Amino acid sequence: MDNNGSELQAYLGRQLALIEEALDCFMPAATIRPDRLHQAMRYSVLGGGKRIRPVLMLAACEAVGGDGRHALPAACAVEMIHAYSLIHDDLPAMDNDDLRRGRPTNHKVYGEATAILAGDGLLTEAFVLLSRSDLLPGVSAADRLTIINLLATHAGTRGMVGGQMVDMEVEGRPIDLPTLEYIHTHKTGALIKAAIDIGGIIGGSQPEQRDALQRYAAAVGLAFQIADDILDVTAKTEELGKPSGSDLQRGKATYPALLGLNQARERARELNEVAINALQVFGLEAQPLRAIARYVIERSY
């Protein structure tokens, strides 16, 4: 893909169109009872976002020679889990945020109780999708079980939820770099790793390819969160779609807070190189993954 990003933007546009259509299709209709709950679920899932996790899943599927469209149900499942985590993260008991993606957060629109249930509903709906026998064509029963186990593990206490818990425990306290890396690789990186690994499995990845994708995913997942840390300090609220500087105000564990902006940027660049080097086993079919790795650390929101 070209250096000025136009090919990547065109690629992202095509993938986003597929993902948005699939999300709208796979989400429960807003008119189905309990309609208010389904409306709340759709509000958060269909309310915009970078869709980086589903895009990475489709790109990983294509990198190993698969058809990215076959991964759409699983990509939607991952995005549902991501949306549930944001709903719960924004609640008064957690970060107590009023804005998400430039709009009022779910609990501000539907109330705390409905927001909690909307998150619960999205988490379980994700596994409804993955367990449907009419979806994921060409994926064996054994691989389907592997995919379900992967997503559950990376979303749970050994992944995203565990990272969120440690993040809460250390808020406002001085921490060391290994603890910060644990938080980032679990709270954010785990779901990104799951998305990429699952995309490869759906596409029929061979052991060498899967290993390469896992190494790429580990680097990209951490780089993505470091970039978010940097943007929280440097970007404006209008660009982020949520209050800028909120991590600093809460005493959150971030790379700029621990290492400073320059070292944080350098660490993100190092991880970008690790990610791209991991893809040496692939040819041009992995160009989108290489371009996305660069986009992750260069983005402005």
Side-chain angles (χ1 to χ4, degrees):
M1 291 188 170
D2 58 4
N3 291 329
N4 63 21
S6 60
E7 288 186 26
L8 175 61
Q9 291 307 313
Y11 175 84
L12 292 176
R14 293 192 298 271
Q15 300 295 61
L16 284 172
L18 290 173
I19 291 162
E20 296 298 334
E21 182 181 5
L23 282 168
D24 185 43
C25 173
F26 289 129
M27 286 291 298
T31 54
I32 296 176
R33 191 176 185 182
D35 52 319
R36 182 172 172 80
L37 176 59
H38 290 146
Q39 288 162 15
M41 291 163 63
R42 294 177 70 89
Y43 177 83
S44 288
V45 172
L46 302 177
K50 294 176 284 294
R51 310 298 192 203
I52 192 70
R53 293 154 189 82
V55 167
L56 281 167
M57 185 185 293
L58 270 56
C61 182
E62 293 164 357
V64 301
D67 185 339
R69 291 171 296 182
H70 291 170
L72 279 169
C76 290
V78 168
E79 191 66 4
M80 288 176 189
I81 290 178
H82 175 56
Y84 120 72
S85 75
L86 298 182
I87 293 173
H88 284 189
D89 197 41
D90 290 336
L91 288 167
M94 303 280 273
D95 285 352
N96 195 23
D97 278 325
D98 295 341
L99 281 178
R100 172 70 66 180
R101 295 169 177 167
R103 303 192 307 165
T105 47
N106 197 290
H107 69 275
K108 286 293 180 180
V109 178
Y110 293 97
E112 290 180 39
T114 300
I116 292 168
L117 291 174
D120 296 343
L122 287 169
L123 173 60
T124 49
E125 194 66 27
F127 291 100
V128 170
L129 269 186
L130 290 178
S131 61
R132 277 178 51 178
S133 59
D134 59 321
L135 301 179
L136 301 183
V139 177
S140 69
D143 281 345
R144 187 186 295 269
L145 283 175
T146 297
I147 288 167
I148 291 171
N149 179 268
L150 258 174
L151 187 53
T153 300
H154 285 73
T157 60
R158 287 166 287 181
M160 180 184 71
V161 172
Q164 174 70 17
M165 183 65 197
V166 177
D167 189 30
M168 290 168 49
E169 288 177 335
V170 303
E171 190 169 312
R173 293 164 45 192
I175 66 166
D176 56 21
L177 187 58
T179 301
L180 178 58
E181 190 159 307
Y182 175 93
I183 292 168
H184 281 9
T185 56
H186 288 73
K187 181 180 176 180
T188 300
L191 206 56
I192 289 175
K193 286 167 64 179
I196 294 168
D197 199 7
I198 290 169
I201 292 170
I202 292 171
S205 59
Q206 299 302 307
E208 184 184 24
Q209 293 174 318
R210 188 176 178 192
D211 177 69
L213 288 176
Q214 288 173 341
R215 286 184 283 113
Y216 168 88
V220 163
L222 182 53
F224 183 88
Q225 185 54 54
I226 294 174
D228 263 9
D229 286 355
I230 293 168
L231 288 171
D232 184 73
V233 177
T234 61
K236 297 178 181 178
T237 296
E238 309 85 74
E239 294 171 315
L240 294 175
K242 59 182 181 180
S244 62
S246 57
D247 288 344
L248 181 62
Q249 292 170 8
R250 293 192 187 97
K252 287 276 189 182
T254 70
Y255 268 76
L258 187 61
L259 302 179
L261 268 175
N262 288 339
Q263 277 192 265
R265 288 188 173 115
E266 180 57 31
R267 180 62 176 141
R269 286 191 289 268
E270 290 172 357
L271 288 164
N272 175 262
E273 290 181 17
V274 170
I276 292 174
N277 287 338
L279 299 176
Q280 289 179 355
V281 300
F282 298 104
L284 291 177
E285 65 276 7
Q287 279 300 89
L289 288 177
R290 297 183 181 98
I292 293 168
R294 289 188 290 270
Y295 160 77
V296 158
I297 65 167
E298 294 171 358
R299 61 197 166 92
S300 58
Y301 69 96

